[in-house]
Amino acid sequence: MIVRISGEDQYRLADDQAARLNELEHAVIDVVEGGREDGFAQAYGALLDYVRENGTPVADDDLESSDVILPPADLTFAEAGEEFTGEGLIPD
Amino acid sequence: MAGLTGRMSTVVKAKVSKLLDRAEDPAETLDYSYQKQVEQLQNVKKGIADVMTAKKRLQMQETSLQQSVVKLDTQARQALSSGHEDLARTALERKNVAQTELQSLDKQVGELEDQQQKLTDSEQKLRAKIEAFRTKKEVIKAQYSAAEAQVRISEAANGVGEQMADVGLAMQRAIDKTENMKARADAVSELEAAGTFEDLTAVGSGEDDIDRQLKQLSSQPEVDDELAKMKGEIGTGSESSAAQISAGAQGGADQQAPSGGSAGASGESGQQ
């Protein structure tokens, strides 16, 4: 499975690491939906760190597409909220 | 995956497929894709240049504010030692505002530097992928039947397209931030143009709009502390004599103080 962190790199993760990735993402969603802004940076940072620490960077000249694309590390709490309410990080 | 990642992936994929929709003939698709990629690379370079320009502008403002801080500090000292506490206070209020702006500019310059670095890294990745695509497209043209070529082109172009979409997103974020900073920088420029950080000899009698705004902007306790500290360094005496100083009663240093009692323009004549 290839995961891209937008604005950074693509990482190759083992398929059995997807479950943990899902858990971490749900933790972020809980924080955002619960309006707990002070917990956001930590929760989102944990998700990104998991990818950075467990993934192997994909070579720059590798033309494979990502299975998952994570928003950039400087995503704000407000932007994360918009991801759920329709406006989205990049307007369609 | 739902939520954050799902939406992000959908948006990027939609952008990539738009890039690929244009041509139907595989060879045409290849050349069209490559041409678009090279164009996009030029845009990225322009984007990086814009970020650098914005950074330079902020750095120039920093230099100018640093000079203002030094100048206002000197003026505050001169005013205090010639017995014009009001004038010294005004100078310190302005210095305080200039310092606050300076800190904010410093942070913004740092952010722009980060962004410039990230964009440069992304540009290198995009360049490597475009180069890989160029090699691959010749192989595809030479080796595969039209139907199979279509699939392989699509795979390769998706890989480049995703990187392009991602660089595009990073650029958009950088430009948005730069716009916000520009608005702030313009506000500082207006303050400068209004003479906020400039020559105190131009301060007229009484309180003008700028002074009122400054008092709101600058943190009063900090100004009080600094004034007290400066008094201690200069040795202008005890608190009880401070009132006399500001009232202009201690005329030794400056005989030309206006009778109006305000620390006005002519109060600075001694330092010309």
Side-chain angles (χ1 to χ4, degrees):
Chain A
M1 179 176 56
I2 296 180
V3 179
R4 175 186 287 276
I5 299 176
S6 183
E8 289 177 37
D9 244 323
Q10 281 176 299
Y11 296 89
R12 200 181 299 274
L13 272 95
D15 287 343
D16 59 11
Q17 288 172 319
R20 179 68 187 135
L21 204 59
N22 257 322
E23 273 175 36
L24 288 166
E25 197 203 355
H26 280 114
V28 178
I29 292 171
D30 285 348
V31 166
V32 173
E33 285 183 342
R36 301 197 303 276
E37 184 164 1
D38 53 348
F40 174 71
Q42 203 241 327
Y44 194 53
L47 174 64
L48 297 180
D49 283 344
Y50 182 78
V51 175
R52 292 182 191 124
E53 283 160 21
N54 294 280
T56 317
V58 172
D60 285 352
D61 62 353
D62 194 323
L63 297 180
E64 274 191 85
S65 307
S66 307
D67 300 292
V68 171
I69 300 175
L70 294 170
D74 64 354
L75 185 78
T76 63
F77 182 73
E79 285 173 326
E82 283 165 8
E83 288 290 296
F84 297 98
T85 56
E87 178 60 19
L89 196 63
I90 337 166
D92 293 296
Chain B
M1 276 198 172
L4 284 175
T5 59
R7 171 147 187 103
M8 187 83 194
S9 304
T10 308
V11 171
V12 170
K13 286 198 171 93
K15 282 188 182 286
V16 174
S17 75
K18 258 186 211 163
L19 284 169
L20 299 178
D21 272 351
R22 306 290 175 81
E24 291 185 1
D25 169 53
E28 205 186 309
T29 308
L30 280 171
D31 293 333
Y32 177 77
S33 291
Y34 181 66
Q35 182 200 326
K36 290 308 267 182
Q37 290 162 15
V38 173
E39 275 173 30
Q40 175 73 9
L41 195 59
Q42 294 307 313
N43 286 338
V44 173
K45 279 185 193 160
K46 260 186 248 161
I48 294 174
D50 287 348
V51 173
M52 279 174 73
T53 306
K55 193 180 80 183
K56 270 190 196 135
R57 182 162 183 247
L58 292 182
Q59 281 171 330
M60 275 165 67
Q61 255 185 346
E62 265 191 310
T63 309
S64 149
L65 276 176
Q66 274 158 357
Q67 287 165 354
S68 297
V69 166
V70 173
K71 188 167 152 189
L72 288 166
D73 189 82
T74 310
Q75 288 186 333
R77 279 169 202 280
Q78 284 169 345
L80 204 56
S81 45
S82 61
H84 293 90
E85 187 174 333
D86 281 357
L87 202 55
R89 178 178 289 278
T90 305
L92 289 178
E93 276 162 0
R94 290 176 178 212
K95 183 185 155 194
N96 194 281
V97 173
Q99 274 174 326
T100 308
E101 288 302 331
L102 205 52
Q103 277 165 8
S104 147
L105 276 177
D106 211 39
K107 190 166 160 269
Q108 289 177 343
V109 168
E111 279 174 23
L112 280 185
E113 227 144 53
D114 281 355
Q115 253 160 353
Q116 190 188 325
Q117 188 54 52
K118 277 189 180 165
L119 280 174
T120 307
D121 290 348
S122 291
E123 187 214 346
Q124 277 164 11
K125 284 190 216 303
L126 182 59
R127 191 191 299 277
K129 284 196 197 293
I130 291 173
E131 185 51 31
F133 183 86
R134 194 181 66 82
T135 311
K136 203 158 187 168
K137 108 183 150 87
E138 297 313 316
V139 174
I140 293 170
K141 272 183 185 170
Q143 291 186 355
Y144 295 97
S145 69
E148 204 176 347
Q150 193 71 66
V151 175
R152 288 176 186 272
I153 289 161
S154 175
E155 282 169 4
N158 268 311
V160 183
E162 188 185 304
Q163 185 70 39
M164 260 202 260
D166 197 52
V167 176
L169 170 68
M171 291 233 301
Q172 192 53 55
R173 287 177 79 76
I175 288 164
D176 288 350
K177 281 197 183 168
T178 309
E179 288 298 312
N180 289 340
M181 287 177 194
K182 197 171 162 284
R184 178 82 194 221
D186 286 345
V188 177
S189 292
E190 273 172 36
L191 281 177
E192 278 182 326
T196 307
F197 307 123
E198 282 308 314
D199 204 347
L200 273 175
T201 56
V203 175
S205 60
E207 210 178 49
D208 60 13
D209 266 358
I210 293 174
D211 283 321
R212 269 191 292 276
Q213 283 172 26
L214 281 175
K215 274 182 187 147
Q216 287 174 342
L217 279 169
S218 63
S219 155
Q220 215 62 50
E222 281 177 35
V223 172
D224 288 342
D225 287 351
E226 197 168 359
L227 192 61
K229 197 176 152 219
M230 207 172 258
K231 274 187 203 166
E233 284 169 17
I234 293 173
T236 44
S238 65
E239 280 299 307
S240 61
S241 67
Q244 293 176 322
I245 291 169
S246 66
Q250 197 149 328
D254 188 351
Q255 301 292 349
Q256 296 166 17
S259 55
S262 87
S266 60
E268 284 289 285
S269 60
Q271 59 155 325
Q272 276 169 0

